[in-house]
Short mmCIF file of all heavy atoms in Angstrom, two decimals:
data_model
loop_
_atom_site.label_atom_id
_atom_site.label_comp_id
_atom_site.label_asym_id
_atom_site.label_seq_id
_atom_site.Cartn_x
_atom_site.Cartn_y
_atom_site.Cartn_z
N PHE N 595 118.18 174.74 62.45
CA PHE N 595 118.22 173.33 62.05
C PHE N 595 118.71 172.43 63.21
O PHE N 595 119.62 172.82 63.98
CB PHE N 595 119.20 173.09 60.92
CG PHE N 595 118.61 173.48 59.53
CD1 PHE N 595 118.64 174.81 59.16
CD2 PHE N 595 118.09 172.54 58.77
CE1 PHE N 595 118.06 175.17 57.88
CE2 PHE N 595 117.53 172.89 57.50
CZ PHE N 595 117.52 174.17 57.05
N VAL N 597 120.81 169.08 64.09
CA VAL N 597 121.89 168.40 63.47
C VAL N 597 122.12 167.10 64.15
O VAL N 597 122.20 167.07 65.40
CB VAL N 597 123.16 169.27 63.56
CG1 VAL N 597 124.34 168.56 62.85
CG2 VAL N 597 122.96 170.65 62.92
N ALA N 605 124.57 165.33 68.60
CA ALA N 605 123.54 166.13 68.04
C ALA N 605 123.74 167.63 68.40
O ALA N 605 124.64 167.94 69.25
CB ALA N 605 122.16 165.69 68.56
N GLY N 606 122.96 168.50 67.79
CA GLY N 606 123.05 169.88 68.13
C GLY N 606 122.07 170.71 67.37
O GLY N 606 121.13 170.16 66.70
N MET N 607 122.21 172.01 67.42
CA MET N 607 121.31 172.95 66.70
C MET N 607 122.27 173.99 66.00
O MET N 607 123.21 174.42 66.64
CB MET N 607 120.36 173.61 67.60
CG MET N 607 119.22 172.71 68.07
SD MET N 607 117.90 173.63 68.89
CE MET N 607 118.76 174.19 70.33
N SER N 608 121.82 174.38 64.82
CA SER N 608 122.55 175.40 64.09
C SER N 608 121.59 176.46 63.52
O SER N 608 120.39 176.21 63.46
CB SER N 608 123.36 174.79 62.92
OG SER N 608 124.29 173.90 63.37
N VAL N 609 122.19 177.63 63.21
CA VAL N 609 121.32 178.71 62.73
C VAL N 609 122.00 179.38 61.53
O VAL N 609 123.24 179.37 61.40
CB VAL N 609 121.04 179.75 63.86
CG1 VAL N 609 122.37 180.37 64.33
CG2 VAL N 609 120.07 180.82 63.45
N SER N 619 125.88 178.24 61.33
CA SER N 619 126.85 178.26 62.44
C SER N 619 126.19 177.51 63.57
O SER N 619 125.01 177.66 63.88
CB SER N 619 127.13 179.70 62.81
OG SER N 619 125.93 180.42 63.13
N SER N 620 127.03 176.81 64.35
CA SER N 620 126.55 175.93 65.43
C SER N 620 126.16 176.77 66.60
O SER N 620 126.89 177.66 67.05
CB SER N 620 127.65 174.93 65.77
OG SER N 620 127.17 174.16 66.86
N LEU N 621 124.99 176.47 67.20
CA LEU N 621 124.56 177.10 68.42
C LEU N 621 124.95 176.20 69.59
O LEU N 621 125.41 176.67 70.65
CB LEU N 621 122.97 177.24 68.38
CG LEU N 621 122.40 178.39 67.57
CD1 LEU N 621 120.89 178.28 67.63
CD2 LEU N 621 122.94 179.76 68.12
N THR N 622 124.81 174.96 69.42
CA THR N 622 125.17 173.98 70.49
C THR N 622 125.40 172.61 69.85
O THR N 622 124.62 172.26 68.89
CB THR N 622 124.08 173.93 71.59
OG1 THR N 622 124.52 173.15 72.68
CG2 THR N 622 122.76 173.52 71.06
N TYR N 623 126.29 171.82 70.36
CA TYR N 623 126.58 170.53 69.78
C TYR N 623 127.33 169.70 70.82
O TYR N 623 128.07 170.20 71.59
CB TYR N 623 127.38 170.71 68.51
CG TYR N 623 127.61 169.37 67.79
CD1 TYR N 623 126.64 168.86 66.92
CD2 TYR N 623 128.80 168.65 67.96
CE1 TYR N 623 126.88 167.63 66.27
CE2 TYR N 623 129.01 167.47 67.31
CZ TYR N 623 128.08 167.01 66.40
OH TYR N 623 128.22 165.77 65.75
N GLY N 624 127.09 168.38 70.72
CA GLY N 624 127.85 167.50 71.64
C GLY N 624 127.21 166.15 71.81
O GLY N 624 126.24 165.81 71.11
N TYR N 626 124.88 164.75 73.22
CA TYR N 626 123.62 164.96 73.86
C TYR N 626 122.44 164.63 72.93
O TYR N 626 122.65 164.52 71.71
CB TYR N 626 123.54 166.39 74.39
CG TYR N 626 124.68 166.79 75.23
CD1 TYR N 626 125.63 167.72 74.78
CD2 TYR N 626 124.76 166.41 76.63
CE1 TYR N 626 126.71 168.12 75.56
CE2 TYR N 626 125.81 166.84 77.41
CZ TYR N 626 126.75 167.65 76.86
OH TYR N 626 127.83 168.08 77.66
N PHE N 628 118.97 166.77 72.02
CA PHE N 628 118.31 168.09 72.20
C PHE N 628 116.80 167.90 71.77
O PHE N 628 116.51 167.22 70.81
CB PHE N 628 118.94 169.16 71.35
CG PHE N 628 120.38 169.39 71.77
CD1 PHE N 628 121.41 168.66 71.19
CD2 PHE N 628 120.72 170.38 72.69
CE1 PHE N 628 122.74 168.83 71.56
CE2 PHE N 628 122.00 170.61 73.02
CZ PHE N 628 123.05 169.84 72.45
N PHE N 642 115.40 174.98 74.91
CA PHE N 642 115.41 173.60 74.47
C PHE N 642 115.77 172.72 75.67
O PHE N 642 116.36 173.23 76.69
CB PHE N 642 116.50 173.41 73.35
CG PHE N 642 117.82 173.88 73.67
CD1 PHE N 642 118.78 173.06 74.29
CD2 PHE N 642 118.23 175.18 73.34
CE1 PHE N 642 120.01 173.48 74.62
CE2 PHE N 642 119.50 175.65 73.70
CZ PHE N 642 120.41 174.78 74.30
N LYS N 644 118.17 169.50 77.00
CA LYS N 644 119.37 168.81 76.68
C LYS N 644 119.56 167.62 77.64
O LYS N 644 119.35 167.77 78.84
CB LYS N 644 120.57 169.72 76.73
CG LYS N 644 121.94 169.13 76.43
CD LYS N 644 122.99 170.13 76.17
CE LYS N 644 123.46 170.81 77.48
NZ LYS N 644 124.67 171.69 77.24
N PHE N 654 117.31 174.49 78.91
CA PHE N 654 118.39 175.41 78.72
C PHE N 654 117.94 176.60 77.83
O PHE N 654 117.01 176.50 77.08
CB PHE N 654 119.53 174.76 77.97
CG PHE N 654 120.29 173.76 78.87
CD1 PHE N 654 119.81 172.44 79.13
CD2 PHE N 654 121.50 174.09 79.36
CE1 PHE N 654 120.49 171.62 79.92
CE2 PHE N 654 122.21 173.21 80.21
CZ PHE N 654 121.72 171.94 80.49
N LYS N 656 119.36 179.70 75.19
CA LYS N 656 120.52 180.10 74.34
C LYS N 656 120.11 181.40 73.65
O LYS N 656 118.97 181.60 73.16
CB LYS N 656 120.74 179.03 73.30
CG LYS N 656 121.65 179.38 72.18
CD LYS N 656 123.11 179.46 72.62
CE LYS N 656 123.68 178.01 72.69
NZ LYS N 656 125.15 178.03 72.99
N ASP N 658 121.81 183.73 70.66
CA ASP N 658 122.89 183.80 69.60
C ASP N 658 123.91 182.72 69.94
O ASP N 658 123.58 181.57 70.00
CB ASP N 658 123.55 185.15 69.65
CG ASP N 658 122.67 186.18 68.98
OD1 ASP N 658 121.80 185.79 68.11
OD2 ASP N 658 122.69 187.37 69.30
N HIS N 659 125.19 183.06 70.08
CA HIS N 659 126.22 182.10 70.31
C HIS N 659 126.79 182.13 71.75
O HIS N 659 127.96 181.77 71.96
CB HIS N 659 127.37 182.31 69.25
CG HIS N 659 126.88 182.16 67.88
ND1 HIS N 659 126.66 180.98 67.24
CD2 HIS N 659 126.53 183.09 66.96
CE1 HIS N 659 126.22 181.08 66.05
NE2 HIS N 659 126.08 182.39 65.82
N SER N 660 125.96 182.52 72.64
CA SER N 660 126.37 182.51 74.04
C SER N 660 126.36 181.11 74.59
O SER N 660 125.90 180.17 73.87
CB SER N 660 125.43 183.34 74.90
OG SER N 660 124.11 182.90 74.71
N ASP N 661 126.88 180.89 75.73
CA ASP N 661 126.92 179.54 76.32
C ASP N 661 125.49 179.17 76.66
O ASP N 661 124.61 179.93 76.88
CB ASP N 661 127.75 179.52 77.59
CG ASP N 661 129.22 179.73 77.30
OD1 ASP N 661 129.64 179.45 76.13
OD2 ASP N 661 129.90 180.20 78.19
N ASP N 662 125.27 177.80 76.68
CA ASP N 662 123.94 177.30 77.11
C ASP N 662 123.74 177.65 78.57
O ASP N 662 124.64 177.39 79.40
CB ASP N 662 123.88 175.75 76.99
CG ASP N 662 124.08 175.30 75.53
OD1 ASP N 662 124.03 176.16 74.63
OD2 ASP N 662 124.18 174.10 75.31
#
Side-chain angles (χ1 to χ4, degrees):
F595 280 83
V597 180
M607 285 190 297
S608 295
V609 64
S619 56
S620 177
L621 285 175
T622 185
Y623 185 82
Y626 305 104
F628 298 87
F642 55 88
K644 182 166 72 172
F654 287 78
K656 168 75 76 173
D658 288 332
H659 298 283
S660 60
D661 293 335
D662 298 351

